[in-house]
Amino acid sequence: MDEVTIGDEDRRLLGLWAADCVERALPLFEAKAPGDNRPREAVDGIRAFVREGRRTGRLRSLAWAAQAAAREVGDPAAAAAARAACCAAATPYIHPLATPHQSKHALGPAVYEARARELASGEDIRVGDEEIRWAVEHAPQAVRELVRRMPPRSPGRSRLDTLYHRLDSALRG
């Protein structure tokens, strides 16, 4: 299996971009579960990683806690926002295997953010497409280069698959 070189700076820039994407949807979760700080803590954790550059067990725990919050919230848009936070906190753990699964980890924060905003709008796909455009416009060159080193995503069948494919294709362009 091919490997992708992922440097520490790549991980930091990916984490920063992921956090910026997630921040756009986090209010959707916080409105539905105002007392649940797990997704916010996951985003704070990835921002700490960006500043300090150390992957810790705490960061992994924050990601899993955000995932648990997504399962428990009971609202699809809020759940997608929490999943985006989970994915963001997990970005430093991407391993160097060149598989579509790894690109899913890299792109997940932006894709779930877009899906969250789309769901909150009553499933207006134009909203999700606009969020993907925002993510592409704000992606650092290092993120684009990292995505180009991974296998391309296929269109798939679900709306999430479509969002992944659109983001992947645009970042490669």
Side-chain angles (χ1 to χ4, degrees), residues 3-170:
E3 289 198 3
V4 175
T5 302
I6 304 172
D8 291 340
E9 186 65 9
D10 292 335
R11 292 177 197 281
R12 282 192 290 279
L13 290 170
L14 177 60
L16 180 60
W17 175 69
D20 289 346
C21 289
V22 173
E23 289 280 349
R24 296 172 61 79
L26 211 47
L28 297 172
F29 178 86
E30 292 168 338
K32 296 294 180 181
D36 190 341
N37 295 324
R38 293 175 291 180
R40 173 70 60 190
E41 289 170 353
V43 173
D44 291 346
I46 189 60
R47 290 199 185 280
F49 166 79
V50 168
R51 286 189 308 275
E52 299 160 11
R54 289 189 314 273
R55 291 184 286 179
T56 64
R58 175 163 163 58
L59 184 57
R60 194 177 292 266
S61 295
L62 291 170
W64 288 121
Q67 181 67 13
R71 286 190 308 269
E72 296 167 12
V73 71
D75 176 80
R83 282 189 187 90
C86 168
C87 291
T91 57
Y93 297 100
I94 292 176
H95 59 72
L97 296 179
T99 68
H101 183 72
Q102 290 310 95
S103 69
K104 183 178 180 180
H105 287 301
L107 303 175
V111 167
Y112 277 102
E113 181 276 331
R115 185 65 178 142
R117 302 265 307 230
E118 186 175 275
L119 288 166
S121 75
E123 301 231 24
D124 182 347
I125 63 171
R126 293 172 299 182
V127 172
D129 292 342
E130 181 57 36
E131 291 304 310
I132 293 297
R133 278 191 290 282
W134 185 93
V136 170
E137 290 170 7
H138 291 85
Q141 190 61 32
V143 170
R144 294 169 185 274
E145 290 171 10
L146 177 62
V147 169
R148 288 181 190 128
R149 294 191 303 258
M150 296 179 176
R153 306 264 328 161
S154 64
R157 295 184 188 184
S158 72
R159 181 61 183 154
L160 268 179
D161 290 337
T162 299
L163 292 170
Y164 270 111
H165 180 257
R166 286 189 179 161
L167 179 57
D168 180 85
S169 295

